[in-house]
Amino acid sequence: MASAHAKTTRPGEIVRTLVMGIWLPAIFLAGLLGAFLPAFHHPTPHHIKIAVAAPPAATAQLQQRLDTAVPGGFTLRSVDSAAEARSAVLNNDAVAAFAPAPHHAQLYGAKADGVALETMVRQVFTSAAQSAGATLDFHELVPTRPGDTLGTSPFYLLMACTLPAYFLVVTMQRAVGFGRRAHVATLVGGGAVAALACYLTGAYGMDAIPRHPLSLVYLFLLTQSVSLTSYGLVSFLGPLFPGASVTLFIMLSVPSSGGTVPVDLLPGFFRFLHPVLPMGNAADALRNVDYLGERQLGRPTAVLCAWVALGAALIVLGYVKHLRRLVREARAGVTEYVSVPPAEDPSVELPEPVALPPHQHHFGEQPPMLTGRVGGPAGEPLPGVTITVTDPHGRQLVHTRTDRHGEYAATGFHDGFAVVVAGAPGREPVATRLLLSTETPPVNQDFVLMPHRPAVPGHASSH
């Protein structure tokens, strides 16, 4: 038999619960189907730059034949000699160089631009040479590093920087006893550790990226672009920030990065995103450091620094917004207080405000936000006193008792005002209103409980 006190769940509440539970998986589904699949399912060349060691007229004829075979796939540029064509590849002004000849045409490529891209260029120009009655000799000008035979190892190192940077922001939302400065310091320190681990693994463990300090710098800038921007979004999007971060730094960044499918083979939308999002710029920076002698680093450096600056600006604006809210609450009193839970990834269960042992704080545990001592009028400690913390609307947050020293501690509160009540049998209860914040040191609130005053006969009110 159902309890008479059982609550009936309304359809609107069911819908809201379902929406809050499935919105992030829905973003992953939409991203995989709407971004990864279109980007990767059919790589097609788009205006791939080729230097041709031939007169302009012959180059124009070859361009016409290629446009017929692969419309819009290649953009040919006539140069004076095969040496100049090779220099264009080495200077990253062209993806490949072609020197036509009656019997043995020459093709010069750069595997460092991407194995898939080089393979497609070889196939197309092999067919073009054969149609002209010649064979094609291929020469590799810019091979990949020994530990990067497929040209994709840097992509996985970039992923190893991006995902921990995002998840560190998510898990730091559990550290509600940490202030904003502690959060930011942890994000910077965690990013430095992740970048160093990726650098040592990729450069010394695998020989997949150059052993150059700039490689470490760009890996670190990528972690900060992701973590600081994600953390900055928390103040403005609240529990919805994971959706924005996942969309920006995973669903759009991965397919547009050029790490698995070269940029020249991606659809136009992802080619547009490549120079804008941080992962693509970090990929270009690593490649330029490795294969171009540190040339062409201006744009990747500027974009990555811009993302870091955006994250810092969002954090500062969020702090200003937080201060203004506290000022409004202080001026309006308790009636305007609305408890706002910290942002979270829906897969992570965040802690509620909890009581702590006053003298047993271990490494890794949340530090106390509220401490105090309860004593009698003579200063004697009062053990077993009930401490109740409520929000200004009376909703109970923490219920605990003082220890044998008359002390108590609690943490896990969200920034704002709270009411603390101390009471014990035979004692007059005492209550006070406090501002609790992760941005300030723990609040210490002591209480003195006076004995109940005996009722005086004859003073009872008569009606």
Side-chain angles (χ1 to χ4, degrees):
M1 181 176 178
S3 171
H5 296 285
K7 296 182 179 179
T8 302
T9 303
R10 294 177 295 181
E13 295 176 350
I14 295 176
V15 172
R16 182 179 182 279
T17 300
L18 288 175
V19 169
M20 293 301 295
I22 67 175
W23 70 269
L24 189 57
I27 287 179
F28 274 94
L29 177 62
L32 292 173
L33 295 180
F36 281 53
L37 191 60
F40 297 151
H41 87 289
H42 184 54
T44 305
H46 299 279
H47 304 288
I48 297 175
K49 296 179 181 179
I50 307 293
V52 180
T59 302
Q61 292 178 356
L62 179 58
Q63 178 75 71
Q64 187 175 7
R65 292 200 302 271
L66 292 180
D67 287 342
T68 301
V70 188
F74 296 89
T75 299
L76 307 185
R77 178 169 63 90
S78 177
V79 297
D80 294 333
S81 65
E84 186 177 348
R86 291 193 298 270
S87 296
V89 177
L90 295 173
N91 293 327
N92 201 33
D93 295 325
V95 171
F98 180 63
H103 301 291
H104 297 285
Q106 308 296 315
L107 180 66
Y108 304 88
K111 191 177 180 181
D113 283 329
V115 176
L117 181 58
E118 183 180 80
T119 300
M120 184 167 292
V121 171
R122 291 183 65 175
Q123 290 174 348
V124 171
F125 278 85
T126 298
S127 299
Q130 290 174 349
S131 66
T135 59
L136 183 71
D137 296 330
F138 179 77
H139 308 274
E140 183 66 70
L141 293 182
V142 191
T144 55
R145 300 186 70 82
D148 186 28
T149 55
L150 296 179
T152 57
S153 297
F155 166 74
Y156 295 104
L157 293 174
L158 298 178
M159 285 292 291
C161 287
T162 298
L163 292 179
Y166 162 72
F167 284 112
L168 183 58
V169 177
V170 173
T171 55
M172 285 308 296
Q173 302 311 304
R174 298 176 61 91
V176 292
F178 275 24
R180 189 174 273 100
R181 291 182 181 177
H183 282 162
V184 173
T186 303
L187 297 179
V188 174
V193 171
L196 181 61
C198 291
Y199 172 71
L200 294 177
T201 301
Y204 293 91
M206 300 171 54
D207 194 17
I209 61 173
R211 299 176 182 180
H212 194 295
L214 282 177
S215 298
L216 176 59
V217 170
Y218 286 111
L219 291 173
F220 175 69
L221 286 176
L222 176 61
T223 66
Q224 299 311 290
S225 298
V226 175
S227 62
L228 295 183
T229 303
S230 297
Y231 184 71
L233 291 173
V234 171
S235 297
F236 299 93
L237 300 181
L240 300 179
F241 98 91
S245 296
V246 165
T247 299
L248 277 175
F249 302 124
I250 298 177
M251 294 305 163
L252 294 179
S253 286
V254 169
S256 65
S257 67
T260 52
V261 175
V263 179
D264 291 321
L265 303 182
L266 294 174
F269 174 68
F270 298 101
R271 295 200 309 276
F272 168 79
L273 291 178
H274 175 79
V276 175
L277 295 177
M279 185 180 290
N281 283 277
D284 287 348
L286 290 180
R287 176 178 169 276
N288 290 338
V289 169
D290 202 357
Y291 302 118
L292 298 177
E294 304 173 31
R295 298 189 300 273
Q296 301 183 11
L297 287 175
R299 187 258 297 165
T301 303
V303 173
L304 287 169
C305 289
W307 277 97
V308 174
L310 173 63
L314 288 173
I315 293 171
V316 172
L317 292 174
Y319 179 62
V320 172
K321 177 185 175 185
H322 164 73
L323 291 180
R324 288 180 176 177
R325 179 174 65 85
L326 292 181
V327 170
R328 289 196 304 269
E329 291 172 2
R331 291 175 177 174
V334 300
T335 58
E336 296 296 325
Y337 176 74
V338 178
S339 179
V340 180
E344 60 186 278
D345 184 318
S347 64
V348 179
E349 182 180 355
L350 297 184
E352 293 293 326
V354 293
L356 297 175
H359 297 287
Q360 298 179 12
H361 302 141
H362 304 289
F363 177 79
E365 295 180 345
Q366 298 178 44
M369 295 176 65
L370 173 64
T371 61
R373 180 181 183 277
V374 182
E380 72 277 15
L382 295 180
V385 174
T386 298
I387 302 294
T388 304
V389 185
T390 70
D391 67 18
H393 299 295
R395 183 172 67 90
Q396 181 174 296
L397 303 176
V398 169
H399 185 80
T400 186
R401 294 181 183 278
T402 56
D403 64 6
R404 60 190 181 90
H405 302 290
E407 297 180 352
Y408 68 94
T411 193
F413 302 102
H414 310 310
D415 292 354
F417 291 95
V419 177
V420 184
V421 181
R427 303 275 178 171
E428 297 283 350
V430 180
T432 188
R433 178 172 175 260
L434 302 173
L435 174 62
L436 303 177
S437 174
T438 56
E439 305 297 331
T440 60
V443 175
N444 186 84
Q445 179 60 51
D446 295 337
F447 294 97
V448 175
L449 299 189
M450 305 298 293
H452 274 309
R453 297 178 181 178
V456 179
H459 284 265
S461 298
S462 58
H463 299 283

